[in-house]
Amino acid sequence: MSEKRMNTPPPAFGPNGRPGRGMPVVKPRDLKGTLRRLWEMTRGYRGGLGWILLLSGLASGVGILSPYLTGNAVTAISEGRVITALLLTLTAVYLADWLIRFLQQFMMARIGQRVIRHIRQVLFDRIKTLPLSFFDRRQHGELMSRLTNDVDNISTTISNSLTQLLTYAFTISGILIAMLLLSPLLTLVALAGVGLIFLLTRTVTKRTRRLFREQQKALGALNGQIEESVSGLSAVKAFGREESMEREFGEKNDALCRAAIRAMIMSGFLMPLMNVINNLCYLAIAVCSGILYVRGHFASIGLITSFLLYVRQFTRPFVEIANIYNSFQTAVAGAERVFEILDEKPEPEDRQDALSLKTPRGDVEMRHVIFGYTPDRQVLRDISFRVPAGTQVAIVGPTGGGKTTLINLLTRFYDVTDGSILLDGHDLREYRLSDLRDAFGVVLQDTALFAEFVTENIRYGHRHAGPEDVRRAARIAGADAFIERLPRGYDTVLGQGGAELSQGERQLITIARAVLADAPIMILDEATSSVDTVTEQKIRRALLTICKDRTSFIIAHRLSTIRDSDLILLIEDGQIAEQGTHEELMALNGRYALMYRTQTGAAA
Ligand SMILES: Nc1ncnc2c1ncn2[C@@H]1O[C@H](COP(=O)(O)OP(=O)(O)O)[C@@H](O)[C@H]1O
Ligand SMILES: [Mg+2]
């Protein structure tokens, strides 16, 4: 009856089921170092760890006690004694077992989850200080997976593996002692059996693990295909690629099916076989103990019962420890990836003597600016220009020429590789970064909207702006008309990224945001590329009033909208190909003039 007291399945001598699964184990590169750092992370949350240790000891103590009591009960029955008291004690032991396990779980959940909350917080804090260049090197999906999966893995390990490992360690030593006390000779036999089973299990696991790894790979391939198909479904439909998509899916689906069948057949063959061997070993030990009993080696039949129950309990921890150790390694590897992010260099801190920039005038100068996102490719090559405060600068040129990059440098999203950028006579790097960013009102090419009220989205950088200010900004940006048509007007909650709005509408909201921010220097990066020409002209006129007397940089493709600018920079292939006013550039009759004529269709 005491065989089933553990909550894992019964045939307990040696492995069963799980060990052969052999899910791919990811090994950490520096197990010790990572563990030490994890331990550091638990600082401030360690109260209660002592309790867990104590509870683990108690849990294994109870586990060791019950076979002994069961054996006693068997002896008592065989001698015809009354066993009510024994049965009651056993029941009490089982109840105590439950209580101890619950308390263990309780403490572990509290500590583990708090540590994890702490890690998530630290990780998130770090991510927001990282320079944008960090994100260029990574896929969003991968980052997300670090923030969620890896951290989650750590938590499971901390809360589960730790308690289990502790309990098993206690159990193994406790049972070993109990078995030695019962019969040193039989213990030797049992240990030999366990050793044999353990070696066999390892060999079998190696075989099945390879197959399961293949299955995992096939699953990964299929998942990738599904994700691509779903996220690109509109393209698939538009280009009539359904058939090839289906065929690819079918192939990957088949591959997964075959791999899974192979893995399951193999483990289905080997695992029960292992069970047979287990049982034979167990039988051998039972026979040995029977012989020893007949020879008077044991004082009572109950001791044999106890011993055999111990043998069953003894092997499980070994197998489980191997399993737990594997998931433990995977979790530590996850922790390693998390620490990798924590080790990334954040955006450079402001210098001690950083200048504050409260009311910038807006003189901007670039001196021989050279820049590449990666060392192997220069995107900007020797850019120099100088504009006094209040200048309206238009930046035009072919796609990929480096216009957005220029803006990225101006706002210090990235730092120049060589050369320098000056604002009001000082290098950008001399200013406090937060002041510098405040100096710019930016409408970027990629609209970034948040799943919040429209109002909140507009006053994103200006939390204290009142509803009237928001409306005025929206009016100037030409966004008021469509916002009022939304189901709940300004109180409409947008979807993720403003999904339900058209690209143009999203642009209008971000323009309103920039208008409200009322920054000394305005930057518009193809801010109106997705709105119709009439609306664009309206916004353009409104922005003219806003940008009046402010330095502004406007990147635009429709040249008609920027022809009144004070200075036009034609950026081509990372260089300033032409610069001047519209009239000057037309008179020059170069690339700009050609582009302009092409666009306006004017032959002259
Ligand atoms: N984050 C980035 N990492 C690496 N290369 C980039 C990145 N952003 C842009 N580039 C490259 O820099 C060049 C200039 O891009 P960009 O400044 O966006 O051009 P434009 O705005 O004029 O269309 C392009 O060749 C582009 O591929
Ligand atoms: Mg661009």
Side-chain angles (χ1 to χ4, degrees):
M1 56 182 162
S2 77
E3 264 183 47
K4 298 201 178 183
R5 48 165 299 284
M6 284 214 166
N7 44 16
T8 26
F13 187 64
N16 65 316
R18 277 177 52 188
R21 295 290 314 210
M23 294 304 254
V25 180
V26 188
K27 290 220 168 94
R29 261 169 295 161
D30 177 15
L31 184 72
K32 253 202 220 148
T34 311
L35 281 180
R36 195 171 312 126
R37 288 188 74 175
L38 265 177
W39 176 243
E40 294 281 298
M41 288 290 228
T42 63
R43 183 172 308 196
Y45 304 91
R46 290 181 196 156
L49 280 183
W51 279 108
I52 290 177
L53 205 65
L54 182 72
L55 287 167
S56 303
L58 282 178
S60 47
V62 166
I64 294 166
L65 200 58
S66 61
Y68 179 71
L69 289 174
T70 313
N72 275 0
V74 172
T75 313
I77 294 173
S78 72
E79 294 171 358
R81 282 186 278 132
V82 185
I83 56 159
T84 332
L86 266 173
L87 288 184
L88 281 178
T89 317
L90 264 175
T91 314
V93 165
Y94 296 150
L95 284 175
D97 184 57
W98 164 70
L99 188 68
I100 289 167
R101 274 162 206 276
F102 166 68
L103 286 178
Q104 230 180 352
Q105 194 68 24
F106 177 83
M107 299 296 296
M108 215 52 236
R110 275 169 53 123
I111 298 178
Q113 290 306 319
R114 282 177 189 169
V115 170
I116 286 307
R117 180 183 58 191
H118 175 63
I119 293 180
R120 270 197 296 260
Q121 188 67 52
V122 173
L123 190 58
F124 195 72
D125 285 351
R126 174 45 59 95
I127 281 186
K128 67 178 192 245
T129 68
L130 291 176
L132 289 177
S133 55
F134 170 81
F135 298 92
D136 292 341
R137 285 182 272 129
R138 286 183 178 70
Q139 293 182 327
H140 284 265
E142 195 225 311
L143 261 183
M144 288 296 299
S145 131
R146 289 195 193 193
L147 260 171
T148 53
N149 283 351
D150 286 347
V151 174
D152 226 53
N153 252 332
I154 302 173
S155 105
T156 338
T157 308
I158 290 182
S159 352
N160 295 340
S161 313
L162 195 63
T163 39
Q164 286 181 348
L165 283 178
L166 279 174
T167 311
Y168 287 146
F170 282 123
T171 307
I172 288 177
S173 21
I175 289 186
L176 192 62
I177 293 171
M179 291 194 338
L180 280 171
L181 285 177
L182 287 177
S183 163
L185 188 60
L186 260 188
T187 307
L188 275 183
V189 177
L191 283 182
V194 170
L196 180 71
I197 300 280
F198 202 70
L199 286 180
L200 273 177
T201 311
R202 280 190 52 164
T203 335
V204 167
T205 311
K206 251 188 218 140
R207 298 217 114 189
T208 45
R209 178 172 295 153
R210 196 173 45 87
L211 292 176
F212 276 106
R213 201 175 292 149
E214 269 161 31
Q215 179 186 351
Q216 208 63 20
K217 239 167 78 188
L219 180 67
L222 184 71
N223 280 347
Q225 154 95 21
I226 292 176
E227 198 191 309
E228 228 178 73
S229 311
V230 172
S231 58
L233 195 60
S234 52
V236 172
K237 281 184 194 292
F239 291 95
R241 300 277 302 186
E242 285 99 333
E243 237 174 70
S244 75
M245 178 179 95
E246 235 167 68
R247 197 176 49 244
E248 265 178 59
F249 179 83
E251 281 164 14
K252 298 209 162 91
N253 200 3
D254 281 349
L256 174 59
C257 177
R258 276 194 304 272
I261 289 179
R262 265 200 305 273
M264 290 181 89
I265 288 183
M266 187 58 133
S267 70
F269 170 71
L270 287 175
M271 285 306 131
L273 187 65
M274 287 304 298
N275 256 346
V276 173
I277 298 174
N278 278 338
N279 288 332
L280 285 179
C281 272
Y282 190 60
L283 190 65
I285 295 171
V287 169
C288 279
S289 55
I291 295 171
L292 285 176
Y293 176 68
V294 174
R295 300 217 170 144
H297 189 79
F298 279 109
S300 71
I301 188 87
L303 288 184
I304 293 187
T305 315
S306 302
F307 191 89
L308 289 179
L309 288 174
Y310 281 135
V311 172
R312 274 205 179 267
Q313 270 190 33
F314 187 59
T315 39
R316 181 184 288 130
F318 282 107
V319 177
E320 292 282 320
I321 282 177
N323 276 331
I324 295 172
Y325 188 65
N326 283 346
S327 64
F328 182 76
Q329 278 191 319
T330 309
V332 174
E336 221 160 48
R337 284 192 293 270
V338 168
F339 287 137
E340 236 166 57
I341 294 185
L342 294 184
D343 291 341
E344 280 288 332
K345 270 218 310 261
E347 264 181 333
E349 291 251 349
D350 290 329
R351 274 196 257 161
Q352 203 92 91
D353 54 347
L355 301 174
S356 75
L357 182 67
K358 286 301 168 226
T359 46
R361 288 194 312 276
D363 296 324
V364 174
E365 181 179 359
M366 290 203 177
R367 286 186 187 161
H368 304 291
V369 166
I370 292 176
F371 175 75
Y373 290 96
T374 49
D376 54 305
R377 186 172 158 237
Q378 281 183 9
V379 173
L380 292 182
R381 300 180 288 158
D382 198 15
I383 299 268
S384 297
F385 68 88
R386 173 148 195 266
V387 291
T391 315
Q392 280 190 38
V393 187
I395 305 176
V396 301
T399 306
K403 304 183 292 297
T404 302
T405 307
L406 201 68
I407 298 304
N408 284 341
L409 295 183
L410 212 49
T411 50
R412 270 200 79 193
F413 283 160
Y414 298 84
D415 274 331
V416 294
T417 311
D418 203 11
S420 56
I421 303 178
L422 282 70
L423 175 62
D424 293 353
H426 290 279
D427 193 291
L428 291 184
R429 287 166 287 195
E430 291 175 30
Y431 293 112
R432 256 192 245 135
L433 191 57
S434 56
D435 283 358
L436 184 70
R437 299 255 163 93
D438 280 347
F440 293 100
V442 203
V443 183
L444 292 180
Q445 206 165 357
D446 308 316
T447 53
L449 296 186
F450 303 90
E452 290 186 64
F453 292 119
V454 170
T455 325
E456 291 304 318
N457 264 298
I458 292 178
R459 54 177 196 192
Y460 186 66
H462 254 238
R463 287 295 175 194
H464 49 268
E468 263 322 299
D469 300 326
V470 171
R471 266 157 222 268
R472 196 183 59 88
R475 245 191 325 275
I476 293 174
D480 55 336
F482 93 83
I483 292 177
E484 270 147 27
R485 278 199 306 273
L486 289 173
R488 310 201 51 197
Y490 286 84
D491 293 329
T492 310
V493 177
L494 296 182
Q496 204 71 54
E500 68 273 67
L501 302 180
S502 79
Q503 178 65 20
E505 289 169 337
R506 270 179 252 155
Q507 288 187 334
L508 295 185
I509 289 189
T510 46
I511 292 174
R513 184 189 286 166
V515 169
L516 189 65
D518 195 28
I521 304 171
M522 293 290 274
I523 292 178
L524 303 173
D525 187 351
E526 291 176 27
T528 51
S529 55
S530 297
V531 299
D532 61 277
T533 30
V534 178
T535 315
E536 184 178 29
Q537 284 300 347
K538 261 200 289 191
I539 298 171
R540 178 76 193 128
R541 269 195 297 277
L543 285 177
L544 270 183
T545 34
I546 300 168
C547 295
K548 197 159 169 284
D549 304 327
R550 291 179 212 226
T551 312
S552 58
F553 293 86
I554 298 174
I555 300 179
H557 275 304
R558 287 182 208 139
L559 300 183
S560 57
T561 61
I562 50 95
R563 53 177 290 176
D564 298 329
S565 306
D566 301 319
L567 175 68
I568 297 171
L569 299 176
L570 175 65
I571 306 271
E572 226 177 48
D573 202 13
Q575 284 174 311
I576 299 180
E578 294 174 12
Q579 58 176 311
T581 61
H582 174 74
E583 283 69 31
E584 285 165 0
L585 291 182
M586 290 307 280
L588 188 70
N589 207 7
R591 305 268 307 132
Y592 177 85
L594 182 68
M595 278 163 62
Y596 188 80
R597 281 196 214 102
T598 316
Q599 279 191 14
T600 50

